């Protein structure tokens, strides 16, 4: 996100996918799958850890068929200082322990680990619970320090948490104080390999960039001004609000749908990709779940290499791969100077690592060469207008050319811009008129295939992922998005996930038919 909207950008274009044959191929695949489902239901569940559909003669039930626990939700947060915490690692392998740092005004607290997924609509399963532990008020940190105005909590470790028996996946650790106050702490139990699986990438640097715990984020200082913002932010502090808003809104709906579909899944984070963990090698697809703005150059190279090796990519948000960052202090610090890049110590010594927008000097490398679309502005609220209804991603939606789905485009959006590096041929699948701070433009959803056979889809709107749960119990006020739009996005995302899970899309589905010139009339 930008603090101030950007000015007008050049015209864009995308390639066209030959639709008729694709619809038959993928529609047949989707028809054989479980029907599209509304996410966010109440989901009655059996006791934690028991199978929802017994099949003992065949061994343990798959994780996704175990009974969930609808009590995972937070009911009462209380004051900010009531109970908060953070992990000393953003991810661990199954069986690895991690440290949990907790501050609470209560005398005692306990921790419950919930694995997020589908679980018959319960959306989470309890896999572990601690005994009651002694509480300690550890204060509010030392405030912003140093030239980067970084904030760290600096709390003592409260407990060491084992993960033996925890399946791979994304977890919310719910902290409960003796007084009934609750907060979430996120953790990813990562996959060592994604071979033959769909890899879900959790945008941990973006989570932290927006986190204002202690009064500072990469956007604002304690006085609310952009100029006093942090230039580096630390994972050694809690998240503000519920503790996990970016995950809950922009990522959890895709996790729930992917698990509901029974796809072979792997889980990882940006930090793991930066550390060189080879989880993308041999993967069928890599899914960037929603708001995924902050990338390191190393992660971008890794993802581009995977695409070139035939791994499908999906970007289910907007403003993706926009900010260039560094991870320092063993991955615990996210550095991004943005418009103050001249102050970055590496701006002259290693300009390719200078932390500003990827499209900006000193080493401009616009995100469009990977994503296919180019970030165009903020804020907007507009209908998503279908441009190519015959594309296989839209199979079974019933959409026609020109059909509009209200409020689906927002609050940030992307479009095709052939004035910057853009893969060709590209097909524009949706072409939605928008007005951004008085400036007319378009938001584009797009699809291209890479020479290695990978298919690449970009939704072009920040609201794609959250629409999967819009209007349900868990996202009841999602911008006014209604059931019709939710059903459209659910079906399209189901097609996308199923189609990409089958391997390189460029080898099985029709090649893109470039419609950039005809769409933009130039």
């Amino acid at each position: 996100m930008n603090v101030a909207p950007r000015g007008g950008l050049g015209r864009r274009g995308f390639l066209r996918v030959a639709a008729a044959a694709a619809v038959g191929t993928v529609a047949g695949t989707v028809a054989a799958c479980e029907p599209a489902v509304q996410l966010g239901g109440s989901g009655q569940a059996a006791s934690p850890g028991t199978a929802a559909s017994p099949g003992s003669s065949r061994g343990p039930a798959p994780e996704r068929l175990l009974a969930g626990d609808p009590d995972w939700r937070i009911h009462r947060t209380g004051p900010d200082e009531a109970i908060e915490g953070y992990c000393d690692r953003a991810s661990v392998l199954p069986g690895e322990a991690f440290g949990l740092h907790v501050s609470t005004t209560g005398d005692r607290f306990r921790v419950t680990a919930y694995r997020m997924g589908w679980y018959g609509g319960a959306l989470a399963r309890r896999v572990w619970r601690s005994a009651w532990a002694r509480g300690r008020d550890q204060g509010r940190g030392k405030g912003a320090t140093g030239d980067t105005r970084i904030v760290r909590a600096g709390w003592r470790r409260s407990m060491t948490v084992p993960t033996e028996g925890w399946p791979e996946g994304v977890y919310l650790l719910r902290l409960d104080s003796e007084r009934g106050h609750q907060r979430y702490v996120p953790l990813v139990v990562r996959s060592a390999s994604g071979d033959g699986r769909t890899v879900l990438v959790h945008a941990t640097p973006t989570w932290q960039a927006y986190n204002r715990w202690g009064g500072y984020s990469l956007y604002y200082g304690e006085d609310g001004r952009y100029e006093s913002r942090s230039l580096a932010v630390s994972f050694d502090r809690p998240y503000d609000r519920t503790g996990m808003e970016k995950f809950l809104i922009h990522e959890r709906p895709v996790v729930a749908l992917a698990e509901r579909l029974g796809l072979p899944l792997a889980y990882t984070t940006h930090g793991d990709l930066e550390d060189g963990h080879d989880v993308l090698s041999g993967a069928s697809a890599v899914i960037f779940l929603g708001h995924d703005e902050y990338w390191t150059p190393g992660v971008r190279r890794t993802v581009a290499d995977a695409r070139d090796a035939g791994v499908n990519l999906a970007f289910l948000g907007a403003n993706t791969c926009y900010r260039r960052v560094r991870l320092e202090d063993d991955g615990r610090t996210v550095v991004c100077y943005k418009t103050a890049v001249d102050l970055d110590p590496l701006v002259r010594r290693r300009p390719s690592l200078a932390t500003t927008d990827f499209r900006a000097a000193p080493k401009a490398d616009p995100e469009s060469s990977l994503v296919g679309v180019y970030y165009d502005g903020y804020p907007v609220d507009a209908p998503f207008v279908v441009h190519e209804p015959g594309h296989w991603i839209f199979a079974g939606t019933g959409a026609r050319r020109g059909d509009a789905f209200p409020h689906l485009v927002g609050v940030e959006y992307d479009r095709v811009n052939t004035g910057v590096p853009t893969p060709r041929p590209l097909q524009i699948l949706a072409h939605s008129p928008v007005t951004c701070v008085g400036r007319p433009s378009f938001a584009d959803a797009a699809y291209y295939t890479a020479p290695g056979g990978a298919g690449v889809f970009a939704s072009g709107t920040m609201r794609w992922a959250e629409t999967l749960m819009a209007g349900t119990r868990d996202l009841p006020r999602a911008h006014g998005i209604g059931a019709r739009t939710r059903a459209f996005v659910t079906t399209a995302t189901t097609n996308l996930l199923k189609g990409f899970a089958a391997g390189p899309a460029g080898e099985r589905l029709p090649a893109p038919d470039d419609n950039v010139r005809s769409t933009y009339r130039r």
Side-chain angles (χ1 to χ4, degrees):
M1 187 190 82
N2 294 304
V3 173
R6 289 173 180 68
L9 301 172
R11 303 278 179 174
R12 323 215 170 145
F14 262 47
L15 303 193
R16 216 175 157 83
V17 175
V23 172
T25 303
V26 179
T29 302
V30 174
C33 303
E34 298 174 85
V37 63
Q38 174 174 303
L39 303 182
S42 58
Q44 296 301 310
S47 59
T50 60
S53 301
S56 56
S57 63
R58 299 182 182 180
E63 175 66 27
R64 74 185 187 93
L65 296 181
L66 297 179
D69 183 355
D71 189 47
W72 63 270
R73 297 172 178 87
I74 280 178
H75 304 290
R76 182 184 173 204
T77 58
D80 288 344
E81 67 276 8
I83 188 163
E84 297 179 299
Y86 60 92
C87 298
D88 62 7
R89 301 175 66 181
S91 70
V92 295
L93 285 169
E96 289 184 336
F98 63 92
L100 183 63
H101 303 248
V102 177
S103 178
T104 178
T105 55
D107 293 331
R108 298 192 305 164
F109 74 95
R110 70 178 179 184
V111 185
T112 307
Y114 293 98
R115 183 184 182 275
M116 309 307 293
W118 173 242
Y119 300 111
L123 304 182
R125 180 174 78 87
R126 192 182 85 192
V127 300
W128 179 84
R129 173 170 284 174
S130 74
W132 286 97
R134 176 172 169 252
R136 177 186 293 110
D137 186 348
Q138 302 208 53
R140 302 295 292 167
K142 299 178 181 179
T145 60
D147 293 338
T148 61
R149 297 181 289 275
I150 192 169
V151 174
R152 297 184 177 92
W155 295 343
R156 296 171 57 187
R157 178 182 291 199
S158 302
M159 65 172 65
T160 299
V161 179
T163 66
E164 284 84 6
W166 293 25
E168 299 168 5
V170 60
Y171 287 74
L172 292 180
L173 311 178
R174 197 183 71 196
L175 309 179
D176 287 79
S177 81
E178 190 176 39
R179 298 175 181 175
H181 302 128
Q182 301 170 317
R183 285 291 197 285
Y184 289 134
V185 179
L187 178 77
V188 175
V189 177
R190 69 178 180 88
S191 305
S193 170
D195 190 29
R197 296 194 273 176
T198 294
V199 182
L200 306 183
V201 182
H202 295 283
T204 45
T206 301
W207 296 356
Q208 199 56 252
Y210 284 83
N211 179 21
R212 293 188 70 179
W213 191 91
Y216 289 81
S217 70
L218 291 181
Y219 291 88
Y220 302 104
E222 195 169 33
D223 58 6
R225 295 186 306 120
Y226 174 75
E227 293 74 17
S228 59
R229 71 195 183 281
S230 290
L231 305 177
V233 289
S234 174
F235 282 93
D236 292 323
R237 57 176 182 156
Y239 288 94
D240 56 355
R241 299 189 183 182
T242 65
M244 211 48 266
E245 185 178 86
K246 290 297 177 189
F247 167 74
L248 288 169
I249 293 175
H250 296 286
E251 301 187 9
R252 173 180 54 134
V254 183
V255 172
L257 178 59
E259 294 223 348
R260 171 70 176 88
L261 296 174
L263 303 177
L265 299 176
Y267 291 82
T268 195
T269 71
H270 271 260
D272 298 318
L273 297 181
E274 175 68 5
D275 284 345
H277 297 303
D278 195 22
V279 69
L280 304 190
S281 178
S284 299
V286 183
I287 312 298
F288 299 90
L289 302 170
H291 194 170
D292 200 339
E293 180 178 352
Y294 289 77
W295 290 45
T296 66
V299 169
R300 181 167 171 175
R301 286 192 299 271
T302 296
V303 174
D305 288 347
R307 176 201 60 185
D308 295 345
V311 179
N312 301 312
L313 306 179
F315 303 99
L316 302 184
N319 193 216
T320 301
C321 191
Y322 183 73
R323 308 284 192 185
R324 182 193 290 117
V325 302
R326 289 195 305 276
L327 299 184
E328 298 181 346
D329 303 325
D330 292 326
R332 299 298 290 173
T333 298
V334 182
V335 179
C336 193
Y337 281 74
K338 297 185 182 179
T339 53
V341 66
D342 287 346
L343 300 177
D344 190 327
L346 297 189
V347 69
R348 292 172 182 82
R349 288 190 290 117
R350 300 190 66 186
S352 63
L353 298 181
T355 56
T356 185
D357 303 344
F358 270 103
R359 62 180 65 173
K363 286 287 186 177
D365 185 15
E367 71 277 10
S368 51
S369 64
L370 175 67
V371 182
V373 292
Y374 189 78
Y375 177 58
D376 197 55
Y378 156 92
V380 299
D381 181 287
F384 182 93
V385 180
V386 174
H387 193 61
E388 294 286 356
H391 192 274
W392 60 266
I393 288 176
F394 296 150
T397 64
R400 299 180 179 181
R401 187 181 181 95
D403 279 357
F405 294 88
H407 306 296
L408 179 52
V409 176
V411 60
E412 297 182 282
Y413 71 98
D414 302 330
R415 64 173 289 177
V416 176
N417 181 355
T418 55
V420 295
T422 303
R424 304 295 292 268
L426 287 167
Q427 185 172 17
I428 297 174
L429 307 185
H431 187 56
S432 310
V434 301
T435 300
C436 185
V437 195
R439 175 177 59 88
S441 188
F442 291 92
D444 293 324
Y447 179 81
Y448 75 90
T449 54
V456 181
F457 170 76
S459 71
T461 171
M462 190 73 74
R463 290 178 181 166
W464 186 273
E466 64 181 300
T467 296
L468 294 168
M469 283 186 178
T472 69
R473 170 182 178 179
D474 289 289
L475 289 175
R477 296 180 299 277
H479 319 292
I481 292 170
R484 172 176 170 266
T485 300
R486 184 174 67 246
F488 167 78
V489 173
T490 299
T491 300
T493 308
T494 297
N495 292 342
L496 175 71
L497 294 175
K498 287 285 188 179
F500 275 11
E507 297 178 359
R508 298 175 294 101
L509 299 168
D513 179 14
D514 196 319
N515 65 352
V516 173
R517 185 177 297 274
S518 62
T519 300
Y520 277 99
R521 305 298 180 191
R522 57 159 58 184

